[in-house]
Amino acid sequence: MRNPTIRDVAREAGVGIGTVSRVLSGSPLVAETTRAHVWDVARRLAYHPSSAARALPRGRSHVLEIIVPLFTRFFSIEVIRGIEEALARSDYSLVIRSVEDPGERNRVFREARRPGQVDGGLLVSLTPTRPLVAHFRTAGLPLVLIDVEYSTLPSVTVDHEAAARLAVQHLIGLGHERIALVGRAEDPFTLDVPDARQRGYLAALQEAGIQPRPEYQRTTDYSPEAGNAAMERLLALKRPPTAVFCASDAQALGVLEAARRRGRLVPEDVAVVGYNDVEVAQYLGLTTVRIPMRAMGQRGAELLLRTLEEPERPPDHIRLAAELVVRRTSGSLPGQRNQRSAAQDIA
Amino acid sequence: MRNPTIRDVAREAGVGIGTVSRVLSGSPLVAETTRAHVWDVARRLAYHPSSAARALPRGRSHVLEIIVPLFTRFFSIEVIRGIEEALARSDYSLVIRSVEDPGERNRVFREARRPGQVDGGLLVSLTPTRPLVAHFRTAGLPLVLIDVEYSTLPSVTVDHEAAARLAVQHLIGLGHERIALVGRAEDPFTLDVPDARQRGYLAALQEAGIQPRPEYQRTTDYSPEAGNAAMERLLALKRPPTAVFCASDAQALGVLEAARRRGRLVPEDVAVVGYNDVEVAQYLGLTTVRIPMRAMGQRGAELLLRTLEEPERPPDHIRLAAELVVRRTSGSLPGQRNQRSAAQDIA
DNA sequence: TTGTAGGCGTTATCAG
DNA sequence: CTGATAACGCCTACAA
């Protein structure tokens, strides 16, 4: 009934518990025959070491903590999934902590598990506070950042500025000059001002010698509703833009909807480019910038694992590339019959 | 540098470790003054008990395990989120295990944490196997099911049959008689044959005295692409349906797209109803059945917590109500401008 | 190469 | 009410 302990295995195998322990932890100081025998017995008894008991003398829990904002957001989910994939074969468990609103952030940071509870942390899209960094440092626990940079900590990021520039360059390449930005409102979770996507947008315009216009730049939060409202404003201008670059696919959805309601054809009257490449983007034919979310999670987890093995290793700063995915809403190549997207007819 | 241990607190407070332990666990057998003093010292030293050390004599880890299929699916995410909300104030941690394909299921079940690793489990949309149930039973660990029923285990479910009937009744109420079903293919994760939604569909037709037609019933998996293909087939019939009920919003998306491509107006030529009420449904104006996913998670977690405190408690079987959300794709009532009309309760 | 013993931080029991 | 002290299951010197 009770789980077998290491002692049971030792007795059953006729060896000392030290030997069993060595076999299980793969120590080379065991005779080959002994090892085989012990393994046999352990398997037969269905022995599984208690992680709590193991954590005690080792001083390590084999648990990793990840702190992520807005758990239900597609971006977060994908990153988490990537982390899980990387951790799957590593016998580390993952504890996920979600920060649902900015006020919660400091509380969660403060409650970040004490050493012994957790062996390391992963911070996603969240700028670390000084105390948090100090906490992990003095505790000797590795902390890895995803989608955020910090000089002394390992990180995995995407160059959002370059990604945004890519998108806007694409629009310029199609001949657009009146290009609007539906950017994001100040992100309450990170401190990245001005926003990287906006910087990329401006850079692309400048490269092409296009004068940016303030009335073409709107910032809203990441929702279809907000995108919708922003687009309404843009379309109400005397010279409305012929193309719109959105800081998220969610906003782009709203932009498409507004265009439809105002009778504008996409991409004939107005081209739309989103950001992230969420699932529905492909389905709606939305041209967008693909952010390698899952890969970000994977690489971050790998970085953490590596730092765990080699604590003194200087922090890596990995930067992944985003790619532009051209679909129908930006009216790619001439001669290609553009389908109107589903979103437009439904509503 | 090292974390303070209970011994440090005891020494600093000038008491025995037993007393500190009692104070911290809220035992009433401590003098009020002693208690206050010990708390003070503990706070001052920033003492945090080691969960590993605590787990050892207690035989409980304070970790709960949740096994969920297809982690990235909206349904799973929402349920998990509900669970987290319920657990947030309970100092239990959550370890999430995802089953990404049916082959993985048994492996994950087999690896279900041994007692001592975990204090209980939550199974989402996954029919438990005999061995799994036995495993938890003999280990004396509570296991709660979400979105699945099993006589001897507590569960939280939604009556999918009633929910589906509701949707189809709505269509019938609008005057439709040629109503198609885009159902789900056999679910590799659960064993629910015939599918509850299909049963509900058939029941609603029968109640209304409508003869079900085999050619109106298509089963596909939960993807827009599959829904799209199914709709193409339906539209190719000599007498195509005037309404389609889909077993998921994902399929409904594809159905809408197919209708658009074939030049059918929604809802004038064909009405469409989805299932789940995913985020984008509201945005696309999709009439659908709202499944209380988050609430399912919450209630499930609460059930688990309760069983943890009271192990002998007979299993509760909680059944939550789904509601119909009428939006544009079913063309509600003439003149009625409401996006969401009165939600109707079921069950 | 292997067995033994001490210790990891708590809880729980049992005398005081 | 409170303070020792024996587990809890495992790891790791250390001794053999």
Side-chain angles (χ1 to χ4, degrees):
Chain A
M1 193 84 297
R2 214 183 76 270
N3 279 327
T5 73
I6 197 172
R7 239 178 300 267
D8 298 322
V9 178
R11 183 165 16 79
E12 188 73 12
V15 302
I17 63 170
T19 301
V20 177
S21 175
R22 273 177 291 249
V23 170
L24 266 52
S25 54
S27 156
L29 309 83
V30 194
E32 195 43 55
T33 49
T34 315
R35 176 196 314 288
H37 181 217
V38 169
W39 265 117
D40 266 10
V41 174
R43 220 182 326 263
R44 184 152 50 74
L45 298 186
Y47 168 74
H48 288 269
S50 145
S51 51
R54 189 171 257 187
L56 212 36
R58 279 192 185 170
R60 291 167 143 264
S61 63
H62 257 64
V63 173
L64 268 19
E65 177 171 25
I66 159 179
I67 307 181
V68 52
L70 306 176
F71 176 74
T72 54
R73 190 157 70 173
F74 188 74
F75 182 90
S76 302
I77 297 297
E78 285 294 305
V79 171
I80 293 174
R81 185 82 202 116
I83 293 171
E84 289 204 321
E85 283 170 6
L87 255 36
R89 291 236 143 254
S90 82
D91 83 322
Y92 271 95
S93 317
L94 193 61
V95 167
I96 302 173
R97 275 195 112 65
S98 171
V99 178
E100 292 301 304
D101 70 88
E104 236 185 355
R105 197 189 66 153
N106 289 325
R107 193 173 57 63
V108 171
F109 278 7
R110 222 173 309 120
E111 286 172 5
R113 293 287 199 300
R114 309 303 164 190
Q117 308 273 69
V118 127
D119 293 350
L122 239 10
L123 218 57
V124 181
S125 301
L126 247 19
T127 304
T129 57
R130 270 268 165 50
L132 187 76
V133 176
H135 170 60
F136 273 82
R137 254 202 65 64
T138 66
L141 297 183
L143 178 60
V144 171
L145 305 182
I146 294 180
D147 197 31
V148 165
E149 278 196 313
Y150 193 96
S151 60
T152 60
L153 298 174
S155 65
V156 180
T157 52
V158 157
D159 186 341
H160 290 298
E161 178 172 343
R165 200 169 59 207
L166 201 61
V168 177
Q169 284 171 339
H170 164 66
L171 291 169
I172 293 172
L174 291 174
H176 293 281
E177 296 196 344
R178 282 144 56 195
I179 302 173
L181 168 75
V182 175
R184 67 169 178 188
E186 262 179 52
D187 187 326
F189 294 107
T190 59
L191 316 161
D192 180 22
V193 181
D195 176 66
R197 305 201 205 4
Q198 180 164 27
R199 292 201 305 274
Y201 163 82
L202 293 172
L205 292 187
Q206 184 168 30
E207 284 168 13
I210 299 173
Q211 192 62 234
R213 304 196 194 179
E215 70 270 28
Y216 279 179
Q217 299 169 44
R218 308 215 62 90
T219 59
T220 79
D221 53 80
Y222 286 158
S223 70
E225 291 74 18
N228 198 302
M231 185 60 167
E232 288 289 356
R233 289 261 175 69
L234 290 171
L235 291 178
L237 294 174
K238 44 193 175 320
R239 299 201 73 206
T242 62
V244 182
F245 167 56
C246 305
S248 72
D249 290 340
Q251 288 162 304
L253 254 182
V255 166
L256 288 174
E257 164 77 2
R260 184 202 61 75
R261 197 168 346 174
R262 297 301 216 90
R264 302 303 203 284
L265 289 182
V266 174
E268 291 80 356
D269 298 332
V270 56
V272 177
V273 176
Y275 199 89
N276 272 347
D277 195 26
V278 304
E279 256 171 347
V280 67
Q282 168 174 18
Y283 197 70
L284 297 181
L286 176 65
T287 292
T288 189
V289 178
R290 177 176 299 157
I291 304 301
M293 308 177 248
R294 222 173 260 215
M296 292 173 81
Q298 284 179 200
R299 303 300 300 273
E302 289 165 8
L303 228 44
L304 182 56
L305 257 19
R306 210 171 305 151
T307 313
L308 241 16
E309 300 177 339
E310 202 186 327
E312 295 312 323
R313 157 187 262 279
D316 277 322
H317 295 281
I318 297 183
R319 189 147 261 216
L320 300 180
E323 63 185 59
L324 183 70
V325 183
V326 178
R327 300 202 181 95
R328 302 191 296 265
T329 58
S330 66
S332 49
L333 306 176
Q336 180 172 340
R337 208 167 304 125
N338 296 314
Q339 302 177 347
R340 293 202 301 142
S341 78
Q344 304 179 33
D345 277 323
I346 289 162
Chain B
M1 195 83 299
R2 213 183 76 270
N3 280 328
T5 74
I6 198 173
R7 240 179 298 266
D8 298 322
V9 178
R11 185 165 14 79
E12 189 73 11
V15 301
I17 63 172
T19 301
V20 177
S21 177
R22 273 177 292 248
V23 169
L24 266 51
S25 55
S27 156
L29 309 83
V30 194
E32 195 42 58
T33 50
T34 315
R35 175 197 315 287
H37 180 216
V38 169
W39 264 117
D40 266 9
V41 174
R43 221 183 325 264
R44 183 153 51 74
L45 298 185
Y47 167 73
H48 288 269
S50 145
S51 51
R54 191 169 254 186
L56 209 37
R58 277 191 186 171
R60 294 168 140 264
S61 63
H62 257 64
V63 173
L64 267 20
E65 177 171 27
I66 159 180
I67 307 182
V68 52
L70 306 175
F71 175 76
T72 55
R73 190 157 68 171
F74 188 74
F75 183 90
S76 303
I77 296 298
E78 286 293 307
V79 171
I80 293 174
R81 184 80 203 119
I83 293 171
E84 289 205 320
E85 283 170 6
L87 256 36
R89 290 238 145 255
S90 82
D91 83 323
Y92 271 95
S93 315
L94 193 62
V95 167
I96 302 172
R97 273 195 113 65
S98 171
V99 178
E100 292 301 305
D101 70 271
E104 236 186 354
R105 197 188 67 151
N106 289 324
R107 193 172 58 64
V108 171
F109 278 6
R110 222 172 310 120
E111 285 173 5
R113 293 289 200 296
R114 308 303 163 189
Q117 308 273 67
V118 127
D119 293 349
L122 240 8
L123 219 56
V124 181
S125 301
L126 248 18
T127 304
T129 57
R130 271 269 165 49
L132 186 76
V133 176
H135 170 60
F136 274 82
R137 257 201 63 64
T138 66
L141 296 183
L143 178 60
V144 170
L145 305 182
I146 294 180
D147 197 31
V148 165
E149 278 196 314
Y150 193 97
S151 59
T152 60
L153 298 174
S155 64
V156 180
T157 52
V158 157
D159 186 341
H160 290 298
E161 178 171 345
R165 200 169 58 210
L166 199 64
V168 177
Q169 284 169 339
H170 164 66
L171 291 171
I172 293 172
L174 291 174
H176 292 281
E177 295 197 344
R178 281 145 56 198
I179 302 173
L181 167 76
V182 174
R184 67 169 178 186
E186 263 178 53
D187 188 327
F189 295 107
T190 60
L191 316 162
D192 180 21
V193 181
D195 176 65
R197 304 200 202 12
Q198 180 164 27
R199 291 201 305 274
Y201 163 82
L202 293 172
L205 292 187
Q206 184 168 29
E207 283 167 15
I210 299 174
Q211 192 61 235
R213 305 195 194 179
E215 70 270 29
Y216 279 179
Q217 299 169 44
R218 309 216 61 91
T219 60
T220 79
D221 53 80
Y222 286 160
S223 70
E225 292 73 17
N228 198 302
M231 185 59 166
E232 288 289 356
R233 289 261 175 67
L234 290 171
L235 291 179
L237 294 174
K238 43 194 176 320
R239 299 200 73 206
T242 62
V244 181
F245 167 56
C246 305
S248 73
D249 290 340
Q251 289 162 304
L253 254 182
V255 166
L256 289 173
E257 165 76 3
R260 183 201 62 76
R261 197 170 344 174
R262 296 300 217 92
R264 302 302 204 282
L265 290 181
V266 174
E268 292 79 357
D269 298 332
V270 57
V272 178
V273 176
Y275 200 89
N276 273 347
D277 196 25
V278 305
E279 257 170 346
V280 68
Q282 168 173 19
Y283 196 70
L284 297 181
L286 176 66
T287 291
T288 188
V289 179
R290 177 176 300 157
I291 303 301
M293 309 176 246
R294 223 174 260 216
M296 293 172 80
Q298 284 178 199
R299 304 300 300 274
E302 288 164 10
L303 229 43
L304 182 56
L305 256 20
R306 211 172 304 150
T307 312
L308 241 16
E309 301 176 339
E310 203 186 326
E312 295 312 323
R313 157 186 261 280
D316 278 322
H317 294 280
I318 297 183
R319 190 150 260 215
L320 299 180
E323 61 186 53
L324 183 70
V325 183
V326 178
R327 300 203 181 97
R328 302 191 294 269
T329 57
S330 65
S332 48
L333 303 177
Q336 185 173 340
R337 284 249 122 241
N338 299 340
Q339 275 203 351
R340 284 185 44 198
S341 93
Q344 309 170 34
D345 276 17
I346 65 158

